[in-house]
Amino acid sequence: MRFLTVLGARPQFIKAAAVTRAIAEHNRNHPERPIHEEIIHTGQHYDHGMSQVFFDEMEIPAPAANLNIGSGPHGAMTGAMLAGLEREMLHRRPDRVLVYGDTNSTLAGALAAAKLHIPVAHVEAGLRSFNRAMPEEINRIVADHVADLLLCPSENARRQLEREGITRGAHVIGDVMYDAFLHYQAKAIVPGRPGPFALATIHRAENTDDPARLANILHALERSPVPVVLPLHPRTRKILDHQGIRPNHRVELREPLSYFDILGHLRACAFVITDSGGLQKEAYFAGKKCITARDQTEWVELTALDANRLGGDLSGDVDALFAWALSPGVFHETLYGDGRASVKCVEILLNAGFQQDV
Ligand code: UD1
């Protein structure tokens, strides 16, 4: 069976690494029923530190093609990806298309496959922020509504799909990011810095593109009781450079971290401050509290357990948030599967029967 995997942005490389490993495991165990996977990189993320380093570290097979569509307005970017992916799908004739998460690459991949009647699986289906001002919310709603297989990280996500009338093809598999987190623990690169620190990332358009919000967030980071390590997404770096903003010495700016570096920083940090979806979960996996610099989160299981608190733009009582983040938390509940989500994903893709298969 032929799988075509659409990737483009950093978190998708991590998710796909887990599934690609599960495909290799399947091929070892079932040589009579091999899966041939081809990766198409849209090029949405293109800096070495945002893309290639993940392929290298996690030994993800090189993409069969790179569409080199990075940057640009959303419509132009998604439209160009749609055209490019359609061409690749027509040429490669896959039996299944896999898309991950909620980026423009996800939307383009899901639409291209659906229009060609190729069964498409959406990994990380059923998540909602209920905030349609976020590009990610539009991407995930459309992807879920055109996908044939909806692979949900949690029961909450599956129930959300049900509320939207989607029941066929929906499965709870757990989170493939958890699989990756467990598997690559031994490779974590723990930073050698002395003393406690907080790990922070800020990259969401809703935060970076609103100068007042960005200023509030940076101001809060400067007040942190422990130094803050802030690896900068290129979007955030460009905006800080453009506006001539330099946070005070409390905030240590870094280049984007590789996956093994992130795992090491998660292990060593006191707590996490982020607007990333992936890092909110990874903080929980690592047993660290997370202050989320957003007004909503899709990962409602984390806030329900009080492992994660929403801080908006951190202009409220941030000292109380820091005190909470430094106090002990409870992390023993298994929220997102058993570390075998990617194996389940592959089994479901193989065993789901579609008209197109005959
Ligand atoms: C995208 C996703 C977001 C996800 C994030 C993960 C969409 C709408 N958003 O946001 O959901 O959380 O990826 O990181 O798909 N840039 C570089 N070098 C790179 C990558 C980006 O300079 O390697 C620049 C781009 O040129 C652009 C900005 O960063 O100016 C934003 O990149 P873009 O891919 O549009 O969205 P992200 O903010 O990365």
Side-chain angles (χ1 to χ4, degrees), residues 11 44-47 50 71 103-104 136 203 233-235 238:
Q44 182 170 351
H45 285 177
Y46 47 88
D47 289 350
M50 295 290 287
S71 311
T103 72
N104 292 340
E136 293 85 359
H203 78 280
H233 184 290
R235 170 207 275 303
K238 277 179 205 167

Side-chain angles (χ1 to χ4, degrees), residues 227-241:
V228 175
V229 172
L230 179 64
L232 284 181
H233 184 290
R235 170 207 275 303
T236 316
R237 180 171 295 277
K238 277 179 205 167
I239 290 169
L240 294 187
D241 287 350

